[in-house]
Amino acid sequence: MAEEREQKVIVPVPEAFRAQALIKSRQQYEEMYKQSIEDPSTFWGNIASQFYWKRKWDTSKPICSYNFDIRQGPVSIEWFKGGYTNICYNALDKHVNEGRGDNVAILWEGNQVGQELRLTYRDVLKKTCQLANYLRKRGVKKGDRVCIYMPMVPELPIAMLACARIGAIHSVVFGGFSAESLAGRILDCKSDVLLSCSAVQRGNKALNLKAIVDEALMLCKQKENFTPGTCLIYDNANAVPRSKVNWVAGRDLWWQDEVRSCSTEAPVEWMEAEDPLFLLYTSGSTGKPKGVLHTVGGYMVYAATTFKYVFDYQPGDVFWCTADCGWITGHTYICYGPMLNGATQVVFEGVPMYPSPSRWWEIIEKYKVSIFYTAPTAIRSLEALGDKHVIKHDRSSLRLLGTVGEAINAKAWLWYHRVVGEGRCPIVDTWWQTETGGIMITPLPGAWCLKPGSATLPFFGVEPVVLDQEGKPQDGPCAGYLCIKGAWPGMARTLYGDHQRFAETYFTTWPGYYVTGDGCQREANGYITLTGRVDDVVNVSGHRISIGEVESALTSHKSCAETAAVAFDHDVKGQGIYAFVTLVEGVSPTEKLKDEIKAAVRREIGSFAVPDVIQWAPGLPKTRSGKIMRRILRKIAANQFNELGDTSSLADPAVVDQLVETKRGNTRISKL
Ligand code: PRX
């Protein structure tokens, strides 16, 4: 009830913020928005002209051409066709050439207090060029895939920029993925180069990344007899000494030894606007991860523009996004967006709770962070520890806060606003996806009132539509499926090696629209509030996880005969995973077996996908045609036993009673 009341709160833009903001009113936004939709060639053309293009796009044609309607032909999206540029050049060289080389690009803070590094734009350019030269020396050329599996050391964004400089397509794999997942991603795009790291220290634990790399490469060899030609390992002596790192002579190379002697100047590969920039694998409703592909020109313009306006970025700001470059947020709002704007940003390798729950606020005080962008899960877990860790640090430098990755509940929003931002800082709740490349629905912080939990209005160039069950666009206040009409510059162009799957996943349910997979509500004032995924995807702590993938990882354990996983509401993580497992005949259910099954998920995907709860299920509720009724399982997981609905059409309705009884028993026990 309290939560519901709080959701009605409207938070006005503070006058002091509005006065200096880039976009100062809804009217100013509406005018720009109208142009962005009605005349994209002028709107995006003016913005894109602020970047360096080796050759301008063909201005005799519309700036964008696309087909979202599979009945008319194949899905296609093109922006700035005929233009040649390079995103690394615009993110680094342009600033150095225009006299901003001494500006700080990266304020790196390591896992341990006291580990720190300051890199100017000139420093980052030099390091990027050295690595670019090294990659070229190893034969890497335009269009080649380079897989990057690294923690948040500065060399991670540098590696991405080095690839972009020479036209290689980077595929960053989050450091929390297992050997199995890494191998799958290397094999899918046949990446001939792997850039990785000896180890990483996260909190007080050291994780031996190189051991995971070794296992992944062994799997690549076993599965498809494939081995990357280059395996360059960054020596992270802070985490583990070199002497402790397993080494395959002839295959493994130490980054620092190899790259040091390379020249600090490297020519730029001029890329056609629609040449690929990167791949990023993400989960879909089916088991196999999808290699979402973004291209150079449109992504560059969209990343930079969303960064500028959503974060109201102005010279002098210190930006901090706590994401990892292994996810899209780190791509767009660490590696590319801030650098394209010549911003100064904090890059943090560690975790929020180490060495104490004050770490983030200490960093904000230390670097005088003015714009802070993080995930609701982290906010909820820090909120749970009380205000004292926050308020003992000076946060007067903060002027804007942001959230991303999952819905933020009103209570956490209000805490973030009142305690972290001292009631002074607007919050931008930004909705977007790996596929959208950049922020899509968001407040512009100086322009309109905020509503806790609502992402509010579309960014420039984005036309959201809310479809009903039949695929009919709805007017005015409504609830339904969030889709996007028309192309925006930052959108994905295809799934690597599988354009058919791209068309099927996003453009087939309702031809003519990009289907986001999210549900939403729209109010009379146009504000959009996201209501969660409408497909078999869960969002655990902002990590997007496919139910299909979790189930196939569970059944990889020899004792699992059948499984069904569902999402349930989790106070801290937003959503958790609840798995029902039917064991193979004759196997006894034990706590040890639960741990083993969880370990199978850790091995197949990574720790972040391990189910919170495993419940033994003698059988699963199925229709007579064999379809698992997940709707019923979701209700059982949520203890909503009175809302199970009609179970008479099930092949064996008694299964439900058994599951409910076990769940009731477990719930009683855990409450004792
Ligand atoms: O369900 C939405 C949720 O995260 C999904 C996209 O996940 P991913 O591709 O991993 O990208 C996350 C970072 C951009 C969306 O389909 N999501 C993301 N942001 C929000 C959100 N749900 C509610 N509110 C948000 N602000």
Side-chain angles (χ1 to χ4, degrees):
M1 248 344 252
E3 183 96 336
E4 270 169 38
R5 264 199 309 279
E6 281 168 348
Q7 279 181 7
K8 300 213 172 73
V9 173
I10 294 283
V11 180
V13 181
E15 221 16 76
F17 192 98
R18 184 193 301 277
Q20 55 70 54
L22 295 174
I23 310 284
K24 294 182 174 31
S25 64
R26 181 144 176 190
Q27 189 198 345
Q28 187 187 353
Y29 156 80
E30 296 288 0
E31 281 161 17
M32 290 173 74
Y33 180 76
K34 188 165 184 286
Q35 188 192 40
S36 74
I37 300 296
E38 290 174 3
D39 183 8
S41 294
T42 305
F43 183 85
W44 292 110
N46 286 341
I47 290 177
S49 300
Q50 293 158 25
F51 294 95
Y52 178 79
W53 294 78
K54 185 73 179 166
R55 190 166 93 198
K56 202 166 180 173
W57 57 93
D58 184 352
T59 47
S60 67
K61 299 207 180 103
I63 209 155
C64 159
S65 73
Y66 68 91
N67 175 42
F68 278 11
D69 190 339
I70 48 166
R71 295 164 304 194
Q72 313 285 325
V75 171
S76 66
I77 303 126
E78 285 179 345
W79 282 85
F80 310 108
K81 201 59 194 151
Y84 279 77
T85 186
N86 183 292
I87 193 169
C88 173
Y89 183 90
N90 278 296
L92 301 177
D93 305 57
K94 189 165 184 286
H95 305 307
V96 174
N97 297 346
E98 292 174 5
R100 296 185 293 277
D102 294 330
N103 288 5
V104 175
I106 294 178
L107 293 160
W108 181 78
E109 173 88 8
N111 179 69
Q112 302 295 345
V113 176
Q115 289 173 340
E116 55 180 60
L117 214 56
R118 269 174 112 81
L119 296 175
T120 63
Y121 273 88
R122 197 186 319 281
D123 297 332
V124 178
L125 176 59
K126 283 185 180 168
K127 283 175 177 287
T128 302
C129 285
Q130 283 191 304
L131 183 62
N133 282 325
Y134 178 73
L135 292 173
R136 278 196 173 125
K137 200 168 95 186
R138 301 288 301 179
V140 181
K141 49 185 193 321
K142 181 177 168 183
D144 289 350
R145 279 80 53 216
V146 172
C147 182
I148 305 175
Y149 183 64
M150 294 181 78
M152 286 296 285
V153 288
E155 280 68 18
L156 171 49
I158 286 170
M160 296 161 76
L161 290 161
C163 290
R165 189 171 194 85
I166 64 173
I169 305 170
H170 58 72
S171 162
V172 185
V173 178
F174 171 57
F177 275 111
S178 65
E180 188 73 38
S181 298
L182 175 59
R185 285 154 173 77
I186 293 173
L187 288 175
D188 187 74
C189 68
K190 292 287 177 312
S191 119
D192 197 38
V193 179
L194 175 61
L195 304 179
S196 190
C197 188
S198 52
V200 53
Q201 183 92 32
R202 287 184 71 74
N204 50 20
K205 279 192 265 170
L207 178 68
N208 190 343
L209 279 190
K210 179 60 170 46
I212 300 174
V213 165
D214 290 344
E215 195 187 333
L217 296 184
M218 194 187 70
L219 289 168
C220 288
K221 185 110 185 99
Q222 273 172 6
K223 288 181 188 214
E224 295 189 26
N225 195 22
F226 179 84
T227 313
T230 298
C231 185
L232 190 67
I233 305 294
Y234 183 77
D235 177 8
N236 193 4
N238 285 335
V240 164
R242 248 188 213 209
S243 56
K244 292 248 169 76
V245 179
N246 181 47
W247 206 244
V248 180
R251 185 195 71 187
D252 301 340
L253 300 151
W254 284 116
W255 183 309
Q256 285 91 330
D257 298 356
E258 298 289 321
V259 174
R260 190 181 315 151
S261 57
C262 294
S263 160
T264 54
E265 284 174 24
V268 166
E269 181 80 37
W270 297 108
M271 306 286 285
E272 209 276 336
E274 283 302 333
D275 280 333
L277 171 63
F278 68 83
L279 291 178
L280 186 57
Y281 286 86
T282 188
S283 300
S285 35
T286 58
K288 193 169 168 276
K290 307 174 281 198
V292 172
L293 186 134
H294 286 279
T295 55
V296 174
Y299 177 82
M300 173 177 85
V301 171
Y302 200 69
T305 312
T306 48
F307 177 80
K308 175 175 166 183
Y309 288 115
V310 175
F311 298 114
D312 188 52
Y313 169 74
Q314 307 194 24
D317 272 320
V318 176
F319 178 75
W320 182 19
C321 165
T322 65
D324 188 292
C325 284
W327 307 109
I328 190 68
T329 308
H331 279 61
T332 308
Y333 301 111
I334 295 179
C335 187
Y336 291 114
M339 303 259 204
L340 286 163
N341 281 276
T344 297
Q345 68 177 318
V346 172
V347 173
F348 178 42
E349 186 197 26
V351 292
M353 305 287 180
Y354 179 81
S356 82
S358 291
R359 187 72 192 275
W360 275 5
W361 323 117
E362 245 167 65
I363 295 175
I364 287 175
E365 178 173 7
K366 175 173 170 184
Y367 295 107
K368 303 208 170 8
V369 171
S370 55
I371 308 168
F372 181 62
Y373 190 38
T374 193
T377 295
I379 297 169
R380 285 190 291 264
S381 44
L382 290 164
E383 177 193 2
L385 300 173
D387 302 0
K388 60 178 187 292
H389 303 288
V390 187
I391 57 180
K392 69 176 184 218
H393 291 284
D394 180 8
R395 286 141 10 262
S396 57
S397 57
L398 285 174
R399 66 180 195 91
L400 178 63
L401 302 171
T403 66
V404 59
E406 52 179 315
I408 181 161
N409 52 311
K411 183 170 163 283
W413 194 104
L414 291 166
W415 180 81
Y416 194 35
H417 187 257
R418 178 177 56 81
V419 179
V420 177
E422 298 175 308
R424 173 186 72 242
C425 310
I427 298 177
V428 286
D429 173 352
T430 63
W431 175 86
W432 58 296
Q433 306 177 301
T434 305
E435 294 86 342
T436 69
I439 294 166
M440 298 285 281
I441 302 181
T442 176
L444 291 185
W448 56 81
C449 299
L450 304 170
K451 181 171 178 193
S454 176
T456 73
L457 299 172
F459 190 71
F460 303 127
V462 175
E463 250 186 299
V465 282
V466 186
L467 301 186
D468 66 11
Q469 196 73 39
E470 275 72 52
K472 207 165 124 299
Q474 305 181 76
D475 292 326
C478 57
Y481 300 100
L482 176 64
C483 296
I484 313 288
K485 194 170 129 188
W488 63 99
M491 74 180 297
R493 304 302 197 251
T494 191
L495 296 178
Y496 187 75
D498 202 347
H499 196 63
Q500 175 77 19
R501 190 174 175 205
F502 183 65
E504 275 164 14
T505 310
Y506 305 105
F507 301 95
T508 303
T509 321
W510 293 298
Y513 300 102
Y514 166 81
V515 179
T516 67
D518 279 314
C520 73
Q521 283 169 356
R522 190 175 54 206
E523 295 171 40
N525 63 1
Y527 279 21
I528 291 175
T529 297
L530 279 298
T531 50
R533 299 288 305 188
V534 293
D535 54 10
D536 285 334
V537 170
V538 275
N539 194 328
V540 179
S541 302
H543 295 151
R544 177 168 156 185
I545 301 169
S546 143
I547 284 287
E549 257 187 277
V550 173
E551 289 175 354
S552 91
L554 288 164
T555 38
S556 74
H557 191 285
K558 61 181 188 315
S559 301
C560 289
E562 197 176 23
T563 68
V566 294
F568 70 100
D569 289 343
H570 190 288
D571 283 351
V572 173
K573 299 187 195 177
Q575 286 189 308
I577 300 176
Y578 195 106
F580 295 87
V581 173
T582 307
L583 291 171
V584 166
E585 273 290 303
V587 174
S588 326
T590 60
E591 285 306 304
K592 185 160 163 283
L593 185 55
K594 277 192 186 170
D595 292 342
E596 277 180 28
I597 293 172
K598 287 184 179 178
V601 180
R602 204 170 292 122
R603 188 181 60 239
E604 295 287 312
I605 308 176
S607 307
F608 59 89
V610 171
D612 300 85
V613 185
I614 291 184
Q615 178 176 336
W616 304 124
L620 294 171
K622 290 184 188 164
T623 59
R624 291 198 185 95
S625 59
K627 193 170 165 287
I628 297 175
M629 296 294 283
R630 288 168 195 282
R631 179 181 54 77
I632 295 177
L633 294 175
R634 276 192 282 271
K635 296 284 179 202
I636 297 175
N639 291 330
Q640 292 166 345
F641 306 125
N642 297 331
E643 297 168 32
L644 297 175
D646 181 14
T647 56
S648 61
S649 62
L650 293 177
D652 179 6
V655 161
V656 176
D657 300 332
Q658 275 177 328
L659 294 178
V660 168
E661 266 323 294
T662 318
K663 180 72 203 289
R664 275 193 210 276
N666 288 346
T667 309
R668 269 199 299 273
I669 292 164
S670 65
K671 279 203 176 130
L672 287 176

